[in-house]
């Protein structure tokens, strides 16, 4: 089962998104702040992370920057910030997608599916590259 972490400080929206994702066949876990999200990310393996940007204490950009070297799954930003500058910053910080609020749940689901397909293709290509090399001792 695909595990998704939703990091959103608006508890009502967090619950709506998690319920929709769970009803759609995913296993979604919600966190309402970055500190709880860090604990959750390092205690479980997630296939995808959805993070708000504007959160108290630590924003979503900082969350992404801090975890990007440790977490290899897609990270989707979900934000009311709609400027091109914010979107570019999200991608620069290591985000894989950027969805602006308000958003539709069907669009969110489609973007999740697209990112998971891309991740699966990437894993397949990496495995194929390893298989295509012939190793003999230390020679490749």
């Amino acid at each position: 089962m695909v595990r998704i972490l939703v990091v959103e400080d608006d508890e009502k929206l967090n619950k709506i998104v998690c319920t929709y994702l769970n009803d759609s066949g995913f296993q979604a876990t919600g966190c309402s702040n970055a500190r709880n999200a860090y604990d959750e990310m390092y205690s479980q393996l997630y296939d995808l992370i959805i993070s708000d940007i504007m959160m108290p204490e630590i924003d979503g950009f900082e969350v992404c920057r801090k975890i990007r070297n440790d977490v290899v799954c897609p990270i989707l930003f979900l934000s009311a910030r709609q400027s091109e500058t914010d979107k570019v910053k999200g991608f620069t910080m290591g985000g894989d997608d950027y969805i602006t609020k308000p958003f539709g749940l069907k669009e969110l689901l489609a973007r999740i599916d697209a990112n998971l397909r891309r991740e699966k293709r990437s894993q397949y290509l990496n495995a194929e590259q390893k298989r295509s090399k012939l190793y003999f001792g230390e020679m490749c």
Side-chain angles (χ1 to χ4, degrees):
M1 179 170 285
V2 175
R3 296 178 47 87
I4 299 175
L5 181 63
V6 179
V7 186
E8 169 63 61
D9 64 326
D10 179 335
E11 292 188 28
K12 184 178 177 182
L13 180 58
N14 194 321
K15 184 172 179 144
I16 290 169
V17 170
C18 285
T19 299
Y20 183 77
L21 294 176
N22 286 327
D23 290 348
S24 298
F26 297 103
Q27 185 177 348
T29 302
C31 289
S32 60
N33 63 58
R35 293 192 193 289
N36 291 345
Y38 289 138
D39 292 340
E40 190 63 36
M41 282 179 237
Y42 292 112
S43 69
Q44 299 287 329
L45 289 175
Y46 285 93
D47 301 294
L48 187 133
I49 297 170
I50 299 171
S51 180
D52 185 16
I53 292 174
M54 296 186 296
M55 294 185 289
E57 296 181 36
I58 304 170
D59 71 18
F61 290 139
E62 183 63 16
V63 170
C64 185
R65 188 191 67 73
K66 278 187 156 179
I67 67 168
R68 186 31 91 198
N69 290 329
D70 299 327
V71 175
V72 294
C73 70
I75 299 173
L76 284 66
F77 286 113
L78 189 59
S79 180
R81 293 183 176 182
Q82 298 184 6
S83 76
E84 181 181 29
T85 302
D86 286 322
K87 291 174 186 179
V88 169
K89 183 175 181 179
F91 290 117
T92 302
M93 297 301 260
D96 297 287
D97 206 344
Y98 194 106
I99 305 164
T100 57
K101 297 176 186 177
F103 63 94
L105 291 170
K106 289 180 183 177
E107 178 188 0
L108 176 63
L109 188 59
R111 287 176 180 259
I112 288 169
D113 287 341
N115 277 277
L116 290 173
R117 274 194 315 272
R118 216 172 5 254
E119 184 71 12
K120 190 175 181 179
R121 282 193 306 263
S122 176
Q123 290 172 354
Y124 173 79
L125 290 173
N126 286 338
E128 281 297 307
Q129 284 180 331
K130 288 179 183 175
R131 274 195 292 263
S132 67
K133 292 181 181 178
L134 178 63
Y135 292 92
F136 184 78
E138 293 187 21
M139 294 175 48
C140 179

